[in-house]
Amino acid sequence: MKSMINAKQLTHEFFRRDEEGNVEGISVALDHVDLDVAPGAFIAILGHNGSGKSTLAKHINALLTPSEGTLLVDGMDVSDPERTLSIRESAGMVFQNPDNQIIATVVEEDVGFGPENMGIPTDEIWQRVESALKGVGMWKYREHSPNRLSGGQKQRVAIAGVMAMEPKCIILDEPTAMLDPGGRAEVLQVAHELNRKKGITIILITHYMEEVVDADYVYVMEKGHIIMDGTPREIFSRVDDLIAHRLTVPQITLLAHRLKAAGLDIPEGILTREELIKALCP
Amino acid sequence: MSIILDHVTYTYSEKTAYEIKALDDVSLSIKDGEFIGIIGHTGSGKSTLVQHLNGLLRATSGTIYYNGQDIYDKDFNLKNMRTKVGMVFQYPEHQLFETTVFEDVKYGPKNQGLSDKEATNRAYDALADVNFPDEYFDQSPFELSGGQKRRAAIAGVLAMEPEVLILDEPTAGLDPKGQRDILNLIRRMHESSGRTIILVSHSMEDVAEYVDRIIVMDEGRVFLDGAPDYVFSHTDLLEEKGLAVPQVTYLMEELRAKGIPIEGQPTTLEMAEKEILRLHKAGVF
């Protein structure tokens, strides 16, 4: 089957240079990474700060290109400069900081900027803007200035801007880092809906373990390597491994793990409250 | 030492089409040595509230008393108060600017008018308080990891020896271990110095675990104010406002709904673990 994203031995090196441009050192941000994502999958990538997650994400929409190895996005090689624009239309990216992604002076114009740039007819642009803004719960702010929104609201506008381009794949790089629980749940729900209803491939990079529970597959990165991969249940069964890698597990998983250690008859890899309640009161 | 807000209202863009009441008749009293968490959905007024506490924003109406003195009185030394009420902003590492970590931390006390020697001592103490490794003192702050940068930025505020420390989402963007380290650091500072700490957070689990009192903001008003077990006993109200209770609190409520005799209102992992183990010993599970 064709893959949405296929990385073979993907490597990325950053060169550190002194003031005269001489190379002082080389750091390897991605070290021979192999990864394959099927179209329509919901993938999560975990890893601590500096593990290489964001560097990987930036390759997927050709903001960075491999030093070695190959990365194909929807069958297109990110190293081929002629494909850069097509790749960016296929794979939309939402960054951590919404302030760097909002450009227009009115919310609805910001969301319409992407599709307009792609040459979409005006009527359809407005339909897309409406559905994207409603999708992120920002429709009532459509005529506001983005400058007057809070950080969380700006992030939702940024996500709407990518959604309006209707890409095949959306990469969300810690999209909820600044949102409140309601906003976080809303963004996650939007991501899952786009995945389920429109078959958009989602790559979610996050620090919130709770957000990973509903993904199809999880990759854990450290020092540019993929050190663990599996379904959420497989990953979260390895509580002690994750903690050793500066990560954690959802609060409920940790509680279940501790109760099991204290002698209660509970399976490993409990992900949700429902599962824990079932294990406690069979 | 106390901060009292008396009917404080703050209006953005007053008398224009964009007029928004970011704070609406807020009255609060913050006592010396309290560890307070402020929660609320985005745009609820949390950041506006804390920016009033050190005089960065001036109330449209109402007043604030710092240690009994009206901070809007023309004889009140607002500049002096700002060094007493230290503020660590969101992503504080964006404000690092000196050539070395040590110089960056010294900048605050030097600006307070302290001698170079005193400022140096303050910088040593502040960096020690945040467990900053001394081999990095002379490094450029821009070459540090995310967690280290944040520590350096917090040290820069601590070096001014504030009586009250306000932290606006100090763990945003850090990985789980980095988050835990920063929160444990804040707890230690509270325990050792007894200074008042005000923590703005989006994490219900974090405030449940660390603070003694939670203030919930909504539409510029104080919506709930009390100990974590009191605040988190209002699940429905909090959800209506785009907030939540800690995962373990939901769990315990759901168990209670199934007829399990849960005692109290567990809000942290430790409390839930203890309660389930107690029930296990009693033969309920």
Side-chain angles (χ1 to χ4, degrees):
Chain A
M1 198 172 76
K2 203 178 147 193
S3 6
M4 185 65 221
I5 292 158
N6 182 273
K8 282 209 176 72
Q9 298 290 299
L10 176 63
T11 300
H12 191 88
E13 291 168 339
F14 286 108
F15 288 79
R16 272 181 289 117
R17 292 173 193 276
D18 66 13
E19 282 157 12
E20 276 140 28
N22 302 313
V23 175
E24 274 186 321
I26 300 172
S27 44
V28 183
L30 290 176
D31 195 354
H32 298 91
V33 170
D34 287 322
L35 178 127
D36 191 80
V37 179
F42 194 116
I43 298 295
I45 302 179
L46 290 174
H48 61 74
N49 297 114
S51 61
K53 311 182 301 283
S54 293
T55 307
L56 176 63
K58 284 176 186 154
H59 279 75
I60 300 174
N61 78 342
L63 283 173
L64 291 174
T65 53
S67 311
E68 275 175 51
T70 55
L71 177 67
L72 301 181
V73 174
D74 198 20
M76 297 176 281
D77 189 340
V78 296
S79 301
D80 179 356
E82 291 188 0
R83 297 293 200 137
T84 304
L85 284 178
S86 316
I87 288 169
R88 291 196 187 141
E89 282 177 17
S90 291
M93 178 113 167
V94 177
F95 295 93
Q96 286 167 14
N97 187 348
D99 281 332
N100 302 341
Q101 328 175 47
I102 289 180
I103 42 158
T105 51
V106 179
V107 165
E108 58 183 1
E109 284 177 13
D110 190 82
V111 176
F113 182 82
E116 190 180 5
N117 232 4
M118 290 160 64
I120 307 290
T122 311
D123 289 352
E124 198 189 331
I125 293 177
W126 288 114
Q127 282 169 19
R128 287 187 180 194
V129 167
E130 182 173 343
S131 115
L133 280 173
K134 282 183 175 166
V136 297
M138 289 298 292
W139 179 238
K140 69 172 174 174
Y141 293 92
R142 63 189 176 278
E143 287 169 3
H144 281 231
S145 159
N147 292 328
R148 313 189 67 88
L149 302 176
S150 70
Q153 290 169 327
K154 282 181 197 168
Q155 186 64 305
R156 286 194 265 162
V157 171
I159 293 171
V162 171
M163 277 162 51
M165 296 197 278
E166 298 189 350
K168 290 183 185 169
C169 172
I170 299 181
I171 305 130
L172 300 144
D173 191 355
E174 289 182 46
T176 60
M178 300 296 294
L179 304 193
D180 55 59
R184 253 176 6 224
E186 216 169 294
V187 168
L188 259 282
Q189 197 193 334
V190 165
H192 278 285
E193 258 175 42
L194 288 172
N195 177 250
R196 261 195 318 271
K197 291 188 183 152
K198 301 196 170 171
I200 296 177
T201 309
I202 302 284
I203 315 276
L204 173 68
I205 295 174
T206 184
H207 280 150
Y208 290 106
M209 303 299 141
E210 280 81 5
E211 296 180 354
V212 173
V213 168
D214 296 319
D216 299 325
Y217 206 76
V218 181
Y219 292 94
V220 181
M221 295 195 64
E222 187 176 84
K223 291 183 181 158
H225 295 274
I226 290 172
I227 53 160
M228 284 186 222
D229 63 306
T231 61
R233 194 177 308 281
E234 287 163 2
I235 297 291
F236 290 139
S237 296
R238 299 168 64 181
V239 176
D240 298 328
D241 283 350
L242 286 167
I243 290 172
H245 290 292
R246 296 180 60 94
L247 295 169
T248 182
V249 296
Q251 198 182 29
I252 293 297
T253 307
L254 193 54
L255 176 63
H257 179 72
R258 289 210 202 163
L259 291 172
K260 182 181 159 71
L264 270 73
D265 181 20
I266 290 172
E268 272 300 345
I270 293 274
L271 297 179
T272 64
R273 304 198 298 267
E274 291 70 33
E275 288 172 12
L276 182 54
I277 290 170
K278 230 173 123 188
L280 287 170
C281 327
Chain B
M1 309 288 172
S2 67
I3 302 175
I4 295 169
L5 280 76
D6 187 23
H7 298 286
V8 169
T9 293
Y10 182 77
T11 314
Y12 278 106
S13 316
E14 208 183 2
K15 298 186 182 98
T16 73
Y18 294 104
E19 182 173 308
I20 294 171
K21 265 190 188 167
L23 288 182
D24 187 2
D25 197 23
V26 172
S27 294
L28 272 179
S29 164
I30 295 167
K31 289 183 208 64
D32 192 26
E34 280 195 290
F35 193 164
I36 295 178
I38 300 184
I39 60 176
H41 63 80
T42 39
S44 60
K46 304 185 297 285
S47 296
T48 310
L49 174 65
V50 293
Q51 286 176 55
H52 276 78
L53 299 181
N54 75 344
L56 277 176
L57 289 176
R58 191 191 166 98
T60 314
S61 67
T63 191
I64 296 172
Y65 298 93
Y66 184 71
N67 295 335
Q69 287 185 292
D70 182 346
I71 69 165
Y72 299 135
D73 193 284
K74 64 178 186 333
D75 295 330
F76 187 82
N77 188 340
L78 207 56
K79 187 167 176 250
N80 184 39
M81 187 193 79
R82 284 196 187 116
T83 69
K84 301 274 184 225
V85 183
M87 177 93 141
V88 177
F89 290 94
Q90 289 176 8
Y91 293 99
E93 58 274 22
H94 293 171
Q95 297 163 58
L96 296 169
F97 68 99
E98 280 280 7
T99 48
T100 70
V101 170
F102 200 78
E103 287 303 314
D104 206 283
V105 176
K106 255 173 81 176
Y107 179 82
K110 260 168 46 192
N111 217 18
Q112 280 177 300
L114 295 183
S115 70
D116 192 67
K117 194 177 164 210
E118 281 172 303
T120 302
N121 287 339
R122 290 273 192 96
Y124 272 119
D125 289 346
L127 285 162
D129 279 349
V130 300
N131 289 339
F132 195 88
D134 46 11
E135 62 263 36
Y136 297 146
F137 280 10
D138 290 327
Q139 198 152 359
S140 158
F142 303 103
E143 287 170 4
L144 303 171
S145 74
Q148 302 284 29
K149 273 188 198 165
R150 194 130 331 163
R151 273 164 205 270
I154 294 174
V157 175
L158 282 180
M160 294 188 278
E161 296 194 344
E163 292 166 353
V164 178
L165 184 63
I166 302 170
L167 302 110
D168 195 351
E169 294 187 46
T171 61
L174 295 182
D175 60 48
K177 173 73 165 38
Q179 295 186 6
R180 202 101 327 251
D181 288 349
I182 293 287
L183 288 169
N184 286 335
L185 172 79
I186 294 167
R187 173 187 274 166
R188 258 204 326 279
M189 284 180 332
H190 178 247
E191 284 167 357
S192 63
S193 69
R195 62 164 64 90
T196 309
I197 306 240
I198 298 172
L199 175 71
V200 177
S201 176
H202 274 328
S203 167
M204 304 302 136
E205 284 77 15
D206 288 347
V207 288
E209 188 169 339
Y210 287 90
V211 310
D212 307 321
R213 171 182 171 193
I214 298 174
I215 295 171
V216 186
M217 295 297 293
D218 182 61
E219 292 182 3
R221 296 194 193 96
V222 175
F223 178 66
L224 284 171
D225 182 353
D229 57 350
Y230 166 78
V231 168
F232 289 135
S233 64
H234 297 84
T235 311
D236 293 345
L237 285 178
L238 290 168
E239 283 184 350
E240 263 171 46
K241 304 301 181 190
L243 297 169
V245 301
Q247 286 294 318
V248 293
T249 307
Y250 279 116
L251 175 82
M252 300 311 263
E253 278 180 17
E254 285 160 6
L255 285 169
R256 185 177 279 148
K258 286 181 80 84
I260 308 286
I262 306 286
E263 273 180 15
Q265 187 71 17
T267 54
T268 68
L269 186 92
E270 280 67 29
M271 289 158 84
E273 184 185 7
K274 221 170 127 190
E275 179 63 7
I276 292 174
L277 291 178
R278 182 187 72 81
L279 292 163
H280 176 59
K281 284 208 186 75
V284 177
F285 294 128

